[in-house]
Amino acid sequence: MLSFTSGLSQDSEALAVFVTEKYVYNDRNSILSNNITQRINSFIKTLRTKNEEEISCIDISDRQKCFVIKVKNKYVSYYPQEKGGAFFSYLQKFKNIKKVDLYADSLNQDKEKLIKFFSEFISGFNLKSYTFNKYKTLNKKEVNSKINLKIITSYKKKIESNYKYHEAIKEGVFFTRDLVSEPPNILSPKTYVNEIKKLSKLGLKVKVYNEKELKKLGMNALLGVGQGSANETYLATIEWNGKKNTEKKPLAFVGKGVCFDTGGISLKPARFMEEMKYDMAGSAVVVGLLKSFALRKAKVNAVGVVGLVENMPGSNAQRPGDIVKSYSGKTIEVLNTDAEGRLVLADALSFTEKKFKPKFIIDLATLTGAIIVTLGQEYAGLFSNNDELSNKIIKASDNVNEKVWRLPLHKNYDKLMDSNIADVQNINYAGGAGSITAAQFLQRFILNKTPWAHLDIAGMAFSKKAASLNPGGATGFGVRLLSNLVKQYYE
Ligand code: BES
Ligand code: ZN
Ligand code: ZN
């Protein structure tokens, strides 16, 4: 919810004024006293000569500061959001500033541009302000203190309605980040399922398959991954029907939900193993995205499918060398139990294609360490059997600055996944190209040529460092990208 005010509040600690590149601003609502105007103007004079940074600050009284925020005349689509994020970061320098009046109408832009700018600016501010504090018991007050923005504008209604979309996306992103941040002893597949079930309240149709049902369906690739864990394995489908009676084919989003990846019998090294709690991030993006569809009543039919499982060693765990029969009927030789994400997705992909006959399938997974070697923490890997879908994803990614880089698929890489004694093996030790061969493996489980894209988000889902729209930790990478894709091309 946004809050508004008609003039400079008595109890606010700061005012934010927006200036153009030439340091022009308006006082359209005549809220600035002569004294304040003079102070701002003389400050701006010094800024002009120094060509000061993007955001600067002066005192306008002994209790109130004024932030001068410079806004470019021409900008890329994600600029307003990142500016909002930058303003939030800037405010962290001032521990005592908790109430800020944002003088939106001071920006010298036409009405439509101004409305759009501010709904996005505030959305960026909010995305950056995310915290995950539920397990902090000390200094509760300080930990939970928030900055309160009040907007000064005569376009209240328009900004509010424009902001609605961003609010829904933010809720989706925050839900994704919350799920990814939860420790693995709390977020087991079962508690995860319970979180997903709660989404029914919003009008999403949730169906959960337990181990018994998965066995009956023949999802042995997925089940094999969870075999060593005391926690039960699940598959959940989440449907959003926002486009009644017209085009029936839904858009499908599939996510890897490995609640913890020890590697199984092919055990991972201890160092940084704790990071493997975020191996469910792909599924969390799907869940957050579907939540945002419901919140904003997106005019689209969509389905999310997530495989939820814990990869543990144990006396009943899957062994390297085991052969499992997947839902598709294809047999898989499991050479390495740490290449488990693809086993989860194999069944989830074939099931999604068969059951929902979707227009396309996009899967998201923290699938390979190799994608971090290739693209680091800048780009997600994109793989696709369809140029049109792929190009749309790239455009949407450019719009929101959640970057993707397309990597190739090729029959020669595909061949590397042939097994000597089964239809396919889950890892290739000799051929290199770890992320590509993983994608080739997935492609073998798209049986009816459905347009499909795979996003390997292993480098993007979690970051120790803060970025323009997140404070570090779980990023929610993918929710904004796919929301934009759907909004631009499918609504
Ligand atoms: N969950 C990991 C991939 C991963 C690594 C995600 C680092 C995030 C950060 C995946 O299940 C895995 O272990 N992949 C193996 C595959 C290998 C055994 C072929 C890998 O990347 O080492
Ligand atoms: Zn693994
Ligand atoms: Zn994994």
Side-chain angles (χ1 to χ4, degrees):
M1 278 289 282
L2 299 178
S3 51
F4 295 85
T5 178
S6 52
L8 194 48
S9 328
Q10 278 309 308
D11 63 343
S12 79
E13 288 125 7
L15 166 73
V17 171
F18 293 78
V19 300
T20 63
E21 274 169 304
K22 297 216 160 94
Y23 295 95
V24 176
Y25 71 97
N26 292 330
D27 183 16
R28 267 186 263 217
N29 311 40
S30 308
I31 58 150
L32 304 178
S33 67
N34 286 341
N35 178 29
I36 291 178
T37 310
Q38 268 171 22
R39 284 196 190 212
I40 294 175
N41 289 349
S42 65
F43 179 55
I44 279 178
K45 257 188 208 149
T46 65
L47 290 180
R48 263 208 189 103
T49 52
K50 283 193 281 181
N51 203 11
E52 263 287 354
E53 321 123 41
E54 307 285 290
I55 304 176
S56 27
C57 171
I58 44 157
D59 291 327
I60 45 173
S61 74
D62 49 5
R63 306 176 293 107
Q64 286 183 317
K65 293 195 181 302
C66 175
F67 298 109
V68 176
I69 302 177
K70 198 156 88 177
V71 178
K72 284 189 189 165
N73 296 338
K74 278 202 174 137
Y75 47 74
V76 290
S77 53
Y78 52 84
Y79 174 80
Q81 272 198 327
E82 298 207 337
K83 199 89 211 170
F87 182 47
F88 181 84
S89 300
Y90 187 85
L91 285 178
Q92 301 314 296
K93 292 191 214 167
F94 306 88
K95 286 280 166 277
N96 298 325
I97 295 189
K98 295 291 169 200
K99 289 189 184 128
V100 181
D101 290 343
L102 215 64
Y103 192 3
D105 288 4
S106 65
L107 184 61
N108 188 36
Q109 270 177 355
D110 71 55
K111 184 178 160 188
E112 294 308 315
K113 204 170 167 191
L114 187 148
I115 289 161
K116 199 159 174 294
F117 180 90
F118 279 98
S119 39
E120 291 166 11
F121 180 91
I122 294 157
S123 136
F125 185 95
N126 289 339
L127 284 169
K128 179 75 184 173
S129 74
Y130 175 81
T131 51
F132 185 77
N133 301 329
K134 66 192 273 201
Y135 297 101
K136 287 205 182 279
T137 64
L138 307 175
N139 308 326
K140 269 276 182 209
K141 218 172 147 194
E142 193 183 318
V143 159
N144 289 325
S145 83
K146 286 210 171 73
I147 296 172
N148 200 332
L149 289 184
K150 283 200 176 126
I151 308 159
I152 305 171
T153 180
S154 31
Y155 312 125
K156 176 172 184 270
K157 284 261 141 56
K158 287 254 173 158
I159 292 181
E160 265 176 339
S161 75
N162 225 282
Y163 180 71
K164 268 193 191 137
Y165 170 81
H166 297 286
E167 171 72 11
I169 307 305
K170 185 205 82 182
E171 287 297 315
V173 170
F174 279 19
F175 192 40
T176 302
R177 289 179 184 172
D178 284 347
L179 290 167
V180 173
S181 304
E182 283 292 348
N185 60 328
I186 301 297
L187 199 84
S188 65
K190 193 182 189 85
T191 49
Y192 197 169
V193 155
N194 290 336
E195 286 303 313
I196 294 174
K197 280 185 183 158
K198 289 185 197 159
L199 295 176
S200 330
K201 282 200 303 264
L202 302 174
L204 290 156
K205 191 170 137 200
V206 176
K207 179 153 176 48
V208 176
Y209 299 85
N210 62 21
E211 278 186 2
K212 208 169 139 207
E213 291 158 316
L214 293 173
K215 184 96 212 127
K216 219 164 139 194
L217 284 164
M219 296 219 197
N220 301 310
L222 167 63
L223 284 167
V225 174
Q227 214 172 276
S229 169
N231 290 313
E232 202 176 349
T233 299
Y234 296 91
L235 182 119
T237 66
I238 312 161
E239 289 172 78
W240 171 247
N241 290 310
K243 199 178 180 182
K244 308 258 156 53
N245 302 327
T246 51
E247 163 118 25
K248 281 269 147 53
K249 282 186 160 187
L251 314 177
F253 302 93
V254 174
K256 166 178 174 182
V258 175
C259 293
F260 196 75
D261 180 13
T262 64
I265 297 299
S266 314
L267 193 63
K268 284 183 181 295
R271 195 168 147 85
F272 301 134
M273 200 204 273
E274 72 283 359
E275 292 187 355
M276 284 303 115
K277 74 169 185 181
Y278 79 77
D279 213 19
M280 34 58 74
S283 68
V285 172
V286 171
V287 174
L289 179 69
L290 267 289
K291 177 173 182 175
S292 77
F293 287 159
L295 288 174
R296 70 185 181 85
K297 302 205 163 35
K299 290 193 176 42
V300 71
N301 293 340
V303 58
V305 178
V306 292
L308 309 177
V309 60
E310 188 177 52
N311 188 19
M312 297 288 266
S315 63
N316 193 42
Q318 177 153 264
R319 291 147 292 255
D322 282 3
I323 293 181
V324 292
K325 193 178 182 87
S326 67
Y327 175 79
S328 71
K330 291 186 181 175
T331 55
I332 306 169
E333 187 181 15
V334 181
L335 295 181
N336 188 313
T337 63
D338 196 13
E340 85 299 337
R342 58 196 81 181
L343 300 171
V344 173
L345 289 178
D347 280 350
L349 287 170
S350 317
F351 175 76
T352 302
E353 194 183 31
K354 185 160 179 213
K355 182 167 169 75
F356 297 103
K357 302 190 173 42
K359 199 177 173 69
F360 66 62
I361 303 178
I362 298 175
D363 79 67
L364 299 107
T366 48
L367 202 65
T368 65
I371 203 68
I372 310 177
V373 178
T374 314
L375 299 171
Q377 307 227 70
E378 284 300 323
Y379 289 80
L382 163 67
F383 303 83
S384 181
N385 61 2
N386 185 291
D387 291 346
E388 193 189 324
L389 176 61
S390 187
N391 290 335
K392 285 177 179 166
I393 293 173
I394 291 168
K395 287 222 178 84
S397 135
D398 287 343
N399 289 340
V400 302
N401 203 24
E402 286 193 332
K403 302 197 289 297
V404 301
W405 195 262
R406 191 175 182 186
L407 292 165
L409 294 167
H410 191 276
K411 63 179 188 332
N412 293 356
Y413 291 121
D414 180 69
K415 254 195 268 166
L416 298 173
M417 303 312 277
D418 282 339
S419 156
N420 288 334
I421 57 170
D423 298 331
V424 54
Q425 58 189 32
N426 79 330
I427 159 172
N428 162 265
Y429 281 114
S435 306
I436 301 176
T437 50
Q440 293 292 168
F441 178 93
L442 298 182
Q443 195 179 11
R444 293 211 184 189
F445 297 88
I446 300 291
L447 303 172
N448 294 314
K449 299 203 170 79
T450 302
W452 157 77
H454 156 58
L455 291 169
D456 192 337
I457 59 168
M460 305 309 296
F462 196 91
S463 172
K464 285 189 176 143
K465 281 190 306 201
S468 55
L469 295 179
N470 69 69
T475 63
F477 179 98
V479 177
R480 289 168 54 246
L481 161 58
L482 297 174
S483 299
N484 191 274
L485 175 82
V486 170
K487 182 169 87 118
Q488 295 289 324
Y489 299 107
Y490 300 98
E491 279 186 74

